[in-house]
């Protein structure tokens, strides 16, 4: 067991259901040894921001349009997570690109609502993902937790959960089934790290180094 709770930062851009789920699980004791030390939102007027405020969490709104370029935006994100001495960052529907400096590589997770490496990348978010899965006639979908690298929806897979695609599925019904799987998978991975320490990620970090 690591010393002290895992210092977690959650990056959001929208609805915040992933953030809400993590907060609930910490509150009801299903996610232990974890403290959200900061929520970063790339948008100011989204439900996720309200969720962070209601939960009284430290919140930073860091909008890409307020910076001259991607490098300046990324440096601001890095400074924000460094300032709170975070252990781990989880991307939770974060729609912007954070260019990871070396000291953050291997400590940033993303969740994606499909079985990567398929159906990921820029523009593949929300209903777009489920529409694409249905359009290709897949019988299987799910969600992926992976270590983030410096490409969208890319990096070593840490965990996946599968759900069936039913013949009468619409993007909405498939999205709901995948969302239910996400609500279990992300907290499960965070809990492993909270209990076992960041070293639990070492095998996946090794794959990250081999890739780059
Ligand atoms: C989640 O379904 C997550 O998997 C997806 O965004 C949603 C966030 O919802 N992430 C991606 O598509 C990453 N490419 P939320 O804002 O309600 O938490």
């Amino acid at each position: 067991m690591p010393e002290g709770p895992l210092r977690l930062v959650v990056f959001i851009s929208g609805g915040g259901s992933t953030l809400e789920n993590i907060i609930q699980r910490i509150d009801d004791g299903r996610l232990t040894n974890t403290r959200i030390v900061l929520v970063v939102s790339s948008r100011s007027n989204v439900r996720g921001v309200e969720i962070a405020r209601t939960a009284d969490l430290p919140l930073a709104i860091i909008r890409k349009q307020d910076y001259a370029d991607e490098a300046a935006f990324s440096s601001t994100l890095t400074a924000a997570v460094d300032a709170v001495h975070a252990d781990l960052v989880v991307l939770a529907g974060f729609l912007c690109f954070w260019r990871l400096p070396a000291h953050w590589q291997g400590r940033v997770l993303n969740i994606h609502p499909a079985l990567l490496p398929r159906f990921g990348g820029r523009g593949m978010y929300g209903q777009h993902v489920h529409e694409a899965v249905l359009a290709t006639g897949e019988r299987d979908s799910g969600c992926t937790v992976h270590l983030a690298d410096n490409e969208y929806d890319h990096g070593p897979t840490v965990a996946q959960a599968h759900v069936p695609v039913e013949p009468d599925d619409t993007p909405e019904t498939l999205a709901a089934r995948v969302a239910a799987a996400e609500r279990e998978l992300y907290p499960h991975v965070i809990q492993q790290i909270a209990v076992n320490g960041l070293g639990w990620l070492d095998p996946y970090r090794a794959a990250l180094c081999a890739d780059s």
Side-chain angles (χ1 to χ4, degrees):
M1 171 86 79
E3 277 173 39
L6 180 76
R7 295 178 66 81
L8 184 69
V9 174
V10 184
F11 276 29
I12 63 170
S13 294
S17 59
T18 310
L19 169 66
E20 189 172 38
N21 181 46
I22 294 169
I23 294 170
Q24 268 168 10
R25 283 173 188 248
I26 291 172
D27 285 353
D28 69 19
R30 280 183 291 170
L31 180 48
T32 61
N33 206 37
T34 302
R35 187 165 136 215
I36 299 175
V37 292
L38 182 67
V39 175
V40 172
S41 178
S42 67
R43 291 187 180 147
S44 44
N45 292 314
V46 288
R47 180 173 168 269
V49 163
E50 289 317 308
I51 290 167
R53 288 201 172 116
T54 304
D56 228 3
L57 292 171
L59 171 69
I61 292 171
I62 303 176
R63 305 184 316 161
K64 192 161 172 236
Q65 69 254 45
D66 295 334
Y67 296 88
D69 52 29
E70 188 190 278
F73 174 66
S74 282
S75 305
T76 306
L77 295 171
T78 301
V81 293
D82 284 345
V84 295
H85 306 290
D87 297 312
L88 180 75
V89 173
V90 292
L91 306 180
F94 189 64
L95 294 177
C96 297
F97 190 69
W98 174 26
R99 182 159 294 282
L100 299 180
H103 70 284
W104 272 102
Q105 287 180 25
R107 288 194 291 149
V108 181
L109 293 174
N110 182 39
I111 190 160
H112 184 76
L115 297 173
L116 292 174
R118 303 193 66 206
F119 306 106
R122 201 188 270 267
M124 274 291 180
Y125 62 91
Q127 296 299 91
H128 302 294
V129 177
H130 307 296
E131 281 163 8
V133 168
L134 292 176
T136 54
E138 301 294 312
R139 303 262 50 95
D140 191 34
S141 190
C143 54
T144 304
V145 174
H146 66 96
L147 274 178
D149 62 12
N150 278 320
E151 274 178 60
Y152 273 102
D153 296 331
H154 191 266
T157 294
V158 173
Q160 282 186 321
H162 291 246
V163 303
V165 179
E166 304 292 353
D168 57 351
D169 262 337
T170 62
E172 291 75 20
T173 57
L174 179 56
R177 198 173 307 120
V178 172
E182 287 189 49
R183 282 195 293 277
E184 298 303 320
L185 191 66
Y186 222 0
H188 169 75
V189 169
I190 297 167
Q191 178 71 90
Q192 293 305 314
I193 298 164
V195 170
N196 299 301
L198 282 164
W200 185 81
L201 284 171
D202 283 350
Y204 313 104
R205 287 169 158 168
L208 191 65
C209 297
D211 253 19
S212 56

